[in-house]
Amino acid sequence: GHPALYPDWASSTLGIFICLSCSGIHRNIPSISKVKSLKMDHWDDAQVQFLARHGNAVTKGIYEAHIPIYYYQPTYNDCHVLREQWIRAKYERREFTEPGKQLPYSDGKSREGILWKRGRDNGQFLPRKFLLSEREGCLKYFTKQDAKEPKINIKIDVINATFQPVKIGNPNGLQITYLKDNKTRNIFVYHESGKVVDWFNAIRSVQFHYLKVAFPIASDNEVRNFLKEGYMEKTGPKQKEAFKKRWFTLDHRRLTYFKDPLDAFAKGEVFVGSRDNGYSVQKGLPTGTQGNFSWHYGLTIVTPDREYLFTCETETDQLDWISAFTSVINQAMTPQEYASNHKP
């Protein structure tokens, strides 16, 4: 297990054990939690009995009884704003204690508000009006408050929103990746408060309802999150060119690469199909690979048309990428994936 997961802390008021990284968040919300160390603090008999009667499973049964299916439930390695809002949603706002509660991100709502958006060319963040509409199944933003026409209008089924606080340089930073003319684009936004998590779950809610209507039989109604992002080096199709360092994003079956992590437009992409359709990933580069590469942990993606060669900086990166590709390649393709990428 992860060392942070062996709990040394507990909330004497909620009757739950908590790991170190979440204990700090609980401590900052004294109205819901009194945090004590299991090793260093004194526990009186009543507190010990309270903890024994409750514990995580019982408390979960109360505070997590009715979580909407699309709601993202963070884990210990998610970013701070996701974990803090999850803790506040459960114990402070009690959003999940009873069924059918009207929530800020729940069904059938449109959502409108200001998000700060990074300028594509100058990197400056400016306030923009965003509108999420379940009825139209889209997310739009407007450059002027009173503008009638949106600057862009993104179909909900091609959006993937992920938290990227480090990359964006703001604890509430969200990356919205989407397809336009079958090419991958990014926009980077942040909200002035933890309300960004409501935006995130509202997008998931609209996506979930859209997918349920569009593909009622699709079992994998799971709203997507990035599998993996990071730097690799790649070489060109002749496999003799120099390897160039690029920022890669594997978003389910699309491996997209950018010159820089904050680029709006991708340089190119590779479709990653399934094993049954002739796709595979191999550790290392083909023997006799030429071209100078500064990173030495290679991997090769084999597609029906050609091989793609990549190098990683560390062995850990190499193994992470291989396992991410393997998990995609091992899944059978859905009819809609097959249709959108199968050349007649």
Side-chain angles (χ1 to χ4, degrees):
H2 190 275
L5 296 182
Y6 301 121
D8 286 331
W9 303 89
S11 163
S12 61
T13 43
L14 291 169
I16 54 170
F17 297 91
I18 33 193
C19 72
L20 176 65
S21 66
C22 292
S23 69
I25 300 175
H26 277 265
R27 195 178 284 112
N28 284 337
I29 317 173
S31 58
I32 58 164
S33 254
K34 184 158 172 37
V35 176
K36 299 179 71 161
S37 163
L38 296 173
K39 294 185 176 149
M40 300 174 292
D41 290 330
H42 172 71
W43 289 72
D44 60 40
D45 290 348
Q47 289 173 330
V48 173
Q49 282 163 8
F50 182 80
L51 193 57
R53 276 203 313 277
H54 288 78
N56 292 45
V58 170
T59 305
K60 210 179 159 105
I62 302 165
Y63 291 100
E64 298 181 29
H66 303 280
I67 301 174
I69 189 162
Y70 54 78
Y71 188 95
Y72 181 72
Q73 300 179 39
T75 66
Y76 71 93
N77 49 12
D78 274 304
C79 66
H80 188 277
V81 69
L82 268 172
R83 288 182 297 122
E84 180 184 345
Q85 290 303 315
W86 169 232
I87 288 167
R88 287 186 182 277
K90 287 196 288 187
Y91 306 121
E92 188 179 45
R93 301 192 291 267
R94 300 183 174 222
E95 289 180 7
F96 316 120
T97 50
E98 52 204 72
K101 260 190 141 166
Q102 273 304 302
L103 298 168
Y105 38 80
S106 51
D107 321 348
K109 289 221 180 81
S110 64
R111 185 180 180 90
E112 188 180 309
I114 299 294
L115 295 171
W116 290 73
K117 181 192 165 291
R118 185 180 192 269
R120 201 172 71 209
D121 304 319
N122 61 10
Q124 253 191 328
F125 282 88
L126 291 168
R128 295 286 179 251
K129 182 173 90 172
F130 277 77
L131 175 67
L132 174 69
S133 163
E134 185 172 303
R135 200 172 44 81
E136 296 173 53
C138 68
L139 175 70
K140 352 183 182 190
Y141 80 84
F142 302 82
T143 38
K144 302 256 184 318
Q145 275 293 74
D146 50 1
K148 294 277 172 284
E149 286 305 306
K151 173 89 168 133
I152 51 172
N153 183 343
I154 314 171
K155 292 292 293 159
I156 200 68
D157 56 325
V158 298
I159 289 182
N160 192 353
T162 51
F163 277 88
Q164 299 284 352
V166 177
K167 197 157 102 172
I168 291 170
N170 183 291
N172 307 323
L174 199 61
Q175 169 175 327
I176 297 170
T177 301
Y178 64 100
L179 287 181
K180 185 166 178 352
D181 309 325
N182 218 25
K183 289 201 169 39
T184 300
R185 303 261 177 110
N186 284 327
I187 51 178
F188 302 98
V189 298
Y190 69 80
H191 191 281
E192 285 174 344
S193 77
K195 288 264 183 291
V196 69
V197 177
D198 287 347
W199 273 100
F200 178 66
N201 280 305
I203 290 171
R204 291 173 66 92
S205 165
V206 172
Q207 280 184 321
F208 176 77
H209 291 285
Y210 173 87
L211 289 172
K212 222 166 56 174
V213 173
F215 305 107
I217 53 167
S219 58
D220 53 356
N221 248 340
E222 183 31 38
V223 176
R224 304 163 312 160
N225 249 342
F226 278 139
L227 294 186
K228 182 148 176 62
E229 284 203 308
Y231 283 110
M232 289 193 289
E233 295 182 323
K234 67 174 277 295
T235 184
K238 297 198 191 62
Q239 302 182 357
K240 303 236 184 323
E241 301 93 327
F243 278 72
K244 291 194 173 77
K245 180 173 155 187
R246 293 288 178 256
W247 178 261
F248 284 86
T249 294
L250 178 64
D251 179 7
H252 198 47
R253 293 203 183 273
R254 279 173 186 273
L255 177 68
T256 309
Y257 52 95
F258 300 83
K259 207 166 167 172
D260 178 84
L262 288 168
D263 281 351
F265 303 114
K267 305 282 287 177
E269 58 183 71
V270 178
F271 177 75
V272 183
S274 69
R275 200 170 295 287
D276 311 341
N277 293 91
Y279 291 81
S280 64
V281 59
Q282 290 160 10
K283 194 172 170 179
L285 302 174
T287 33
T289 301
Q290 297 167 329
N292 47 349
F293 40 91
S294 47
W295 291 350
H296 295 283
Y297 299 93
L299 62 101
T300 304
I301 290 184
V302 180
T303 76
D305 307 325
R306 55 170 278 207
E307 293 180 341
Y308 292 89
L309 278 47
F310 305 99
T311 57
C312 303
E313 189 173 14
T314 66
E315 188 177 17
T316 310
D317 277 352
Q318 175 198 40
L319 298 176
D320 277 358
W321 278 109
I322 288 173
S323 85
F325 287 127
T326 305
S327 74
V328 171
I329 287 168
N330 285 345
Q331 287 172 33
M333 277 157 72
T334 62
Q336 62 261 36
E337 284 171 344
Y338 192 75
S340 67
N341 281 283
H342 191 64
K343 302 180 185 67

